[in-house]
Amino acid sequence: MNVSPDLHNSICIGSLALGLQYRLHAKLLAFDLLFFHPEIKLVLLTDSPDFFRDLPNVIAMKHKSTGIRFCYHDKRFVFEKAFQLYSLCLFVDADSRLVDPIDFDELLDCDAFIVAPIAESLQKKIEREALHEKSGIRFNGAFKKARIFNALSEKMGVKFDELTFVQESIFLINKTKGDYQKFLNTWDCCAIYTTGRLLEFSEGSSIGLSAKVAGGKISSINKCPAWYFKDQYTDHRWKDERQALLSKNLMLLRAAISNDDWCPSRGYVRLAALGWAAFTFYLKNARRLLFSF
């Protein structure tokens, strides 16, 4: 699929790659993009920009995780950097693959601030997760999530039952369709508020809340774009075929990851790393956690 010059000058792909595992995944994604859309740039936040210096389609920028256990909310910094150069940014998780040209027409036909494969009522999603929790299956604490986002929505002057959950592994933001700066500022507040309460699996909910506060419209598209592959979200009818396509590359990835760069296996080392991350997070954000909400 050819992309018009006007479009490729205004749109980029964005991703986040921290640690060797995700840097290797991101390289595969960059090669996919180079094959299908060599004119489109990949704006990548990573702990090692030099790792991508041989790829002409990658704009790699130095970044260090700001979370405690995870870096999910750091996606907001990808958009912050991308919007300095482009009007539209399609975020794609680094451990994803493109198996066909991206259908930009499908994405841009939606006249919305945010376009995602899945956009549903946050309240209904949490209620569904709560039912699973009662049967012994946990989804990051549905009752805790409901309590926190009820409090956040009240503080930010929006109604909880009007919030949307955005499936965050792949989604497009068009900064010309909303107040993107207010959106990013609100997401930043949500990230600190939820991370400070150890609810880090919450970026999809935070994105929906931030869009509501910023007055941005959210639209959903096909739940399984034919050009996109990620194990946990891809429709089952495509899984076997596409997993076979990726299995060899994934085995090579795992073999390439050294023990030195992999997450430490010794419990006391992991605990020390987690403790330091928590200390630095609370030290940096203490004033905002105590006085800003």
Side-chain angles (χ1 to χ4, degrees):
M1 179 181 294
N2 293 324
V3 179
S4 69
D6 288 342
L7 180 58
H8 75 69
N9 286 329
S10 62
I11 193 168
C12 69
I13 309 299
S15 198
L16 183 67
L18 302 178
L20 180 58
Q21 181 187 23
Y22 281 91
R23 293 201 302 270
L24 288 166
H25 278 302
K27 268 206 169 181
L28 290 178
L29 179 61
F31 282 126
D32 290 344
L33 190 60
L34 196 58
F35 180 78
F36 290 117
H37 297 289
E39 70 280 14
I40 300 290
K41 296 294 186 181
L42 173 62
V43 174
L44 186 69
L45 266 57
T46 177
D47 48 357
S48 181
D50 286 346
F51 192 79
F52 301 92
R53 64 177 179 269
D54 58 330
L55 290 167
N57 64 328
V58 176
I59 303 174
M61 303 180 190
K62 184 75 174 179
H63 181 74
K64 182 180 179 181
S65 175
T66 63
I68 296 177
R69 295 176 294 174
F70 309 104
C71 61
Y72 299 131
H73 281 289
D74 285 11
K75 293 174 182 178
R76 69 191 189 275
F77 299 115
V78 175
F79 287 101
E80 180 183 327
K81 296 297 184 183
F83 287 154
Q84 294 174 9
L85 303 170
Y86 300 94
S87 299
L88 300 96
C89 177
L90 173 64
F91 183 91
V92 179
D93 272 355
D95 57 344
S96 306
R97 299 298 303 273
L98 303 180
V99 294
D100 282 309
I102 298 172
D103 188 350
F104 287 105
D105 290 337
E106 179 185 29
L107 292 170
L108 299 178
D109 278 348
C110 300
D111 186 28
F113 178 59
I114 295 178
V115 182
I118 298 174
E120 60 176 317
S121 165
L122 176 59
Q123 184 177 35
K124 290 181 179 178
K125 183 178 186 297
I126 291 176
E127 289 173 354
R128 188 170 66 249
E129 291 175 355
L131 291 176
H132 285 288
E133 285 188 3
K134 290 179 180 179
S135 65
I137 305 171
R138 293 192 60 80
F139 285 86
N140 196 38
F143 296 104
K144 179 181 180 181
K145 188 184 296 183
R147 185 178 71 253
I148 287 176
F149 277 94
N150 261 298
L152 268 174
S153 58
E154 182 178 345
K155 292 175 186 295
M156 295 185 179
V158 296
K159 295 181 180 179
F160 175 72
D161 60 4
E162 295 179 357
L163 299 184
T164 302
F165 167 80
V166 175
Q167 194 268 296
E168 69 284 347
S169 66
I170 174 173
F171 61 106
L172 174 82
I173 297 183
N174 184 342
K175 78 173 189 179
T176 66
K177 300 295 184 180
D179 188 343
Y180 76 93
Q181 195 58 63
K182 188 173 185 178
F183 167 81
L184 291 174
N185 291 340
T186 306
W187 189 357
D188 187 66
C189 291
C190 291
I192 292 171
Y193 189 90
T194 56
T195 301
R197 289 154 180 79
L198 300 181
L199 184 70
E200 293 184 271
F201 294 91
S202 60
E203 77 271 36
S205 307
S206 299
I207 291 166
L209 172 57
S210 302
K212 182 69 176 178
V213 171
K217 178 183 175 183
I218 301 173
S219 293
S220 61
I221 56 171
N222 187 340
K223 291 187 178 181
C224 177
W227 41 267
Y228 173 73
F229 178 89
K230 183 169 179 172
D231 278 348
Q232 67 205 73
Y233 294 115
T234 302
D235 194 311
H236 289 288
R237 69 179 181 271
W238 298 104
K239 265 193 172 181
D240 292 341
E241 177 184 346
R242 295 186 179 181
Q243 187 58 48
L245 174 69
L246 298 180
S247 60
K248 182 177 180 181
N249 284 330
L250 292 176
M251 288 173 63
L252 292 173
L253 282 181
R254 295 188 183 105
I257 297 169
S258 68
N259 290 330
D260 291 336
D261 202 75
W262 189 245
C263 190
S265 59
R266 296 182 181 274
Y268 65 87
V269 177
R270 292 172 61 91
L271 186 61
L274 179 61
W276 177 252
F279 172 76
T280 55
F281 173 84
Y282 288 112
L283 182 65
K284 179 181 178 181
N285 298 296
R287 180 179 293 274
R288 294 184 67 182
L289 285 166
L290 288 173
F291 304 113
S292 298
F293 301 102

